[in-house]
Each structure stands twice: as structure tokens, then as C-alpha cells.
Amino acid sequence: MVWVVLVVAGVLETVWAVALEGSKGFSRPAPTLVFAVALALSMGGLAYAMRSIPLGTGYAVWVGIGAIGTALYGMVALGDAVSAARITCLLLILSGVVGLKLLH
């Protein structure tokens, strides 16, 4: 169960990062509210998961999921560059996240 919470917290990291960009420097109320709620839930989930997952593993998995999700969102929805090298790097991050889970 704690791993599910950690994964959801990582996905919420993507949500708050996207909402932060959409808030345009906190000048738009709706994305700013989404940012604040997603940030609080993401941090809360990370804190809960780190009760039983080591700090380094939990934080690295959380950041990895958020980084992959945010990069993919940028490529799919915002027109960020897509290349074999970028996809390879994201797959390397993913393999590190999976490896940390398997080694836990």
C-alpha cells in the first residue's frame, strides 16, 4: 500500500509542476489552486511513504516519477522536443525507479 501512495504522490508531483507552469507566476487562480492542492497532497504522500521506505529510495522514486511525467506531458501537450536521446534518458530514469523498488 505504501508504494501505491508513493506512486500517486509522484504523479501528483507532475500535476503540481504542470499547474505551476499554467499559473503564470501565480497570476491565474484556478491553476494556482490546483498547484497548492496537488503540492500538499504530493508532499503528504511522500511523507507518509517515508515512514516505511528509506529516505533515499522514497525521494528518488518520487522525483523520478514526477520528472518522467512532467517531461512526457511537455512532449505530448506542450510541443517539447521529442528525440531518441530524450526518450532513452527517460527510460534510464524509469529503469532506476524500477530498480530501486526491486532492491527495496
Side-chain angles (χ1 to χ4, degrees):
M1 177 66 178
V2 71
W3 282 96
V4 172
V5 171
L6 183 59
V7 169
V8 170
V11 170
L12 285 168
E13 185 186 3
T14 297
V15 172
W16 68 252
V18 170
L20 179 61
E21 190 274 334
S23 77
K24 305 296 184 205
F26 302 120
S27 65
R28 297 176 61 213
T32 299
L33 180 62
V34 171
F35 163 77
V37 171
L39 178 64
L41 291 172
S42 179
M43 291 289 177
L46 176 61
Y48 175 81
M50 287 195 313
R51 289 179 176 176
S52 55
I53 296 173
L55 169 68
T57 300
Y59 185 73
V61 168
W62 180 75
V63 168
I65 292 169
I68 292 166
T70 304
L72 290 175
Y73 180 85
M75 286 187 247
V76 171
L78 302 178
D80 291 355
V82 179
S83 66
R86 287 180 63 118
I87 299 298
T88 299
C89 289
L90 291 174
L91 289 172
L92 288 169
I93 295 170
L94 179 62
S95 67
V97 167
V98 171
L100 288 170
K101 164 61 174 120
L102 293 175
L103 293 172
H104 174 68

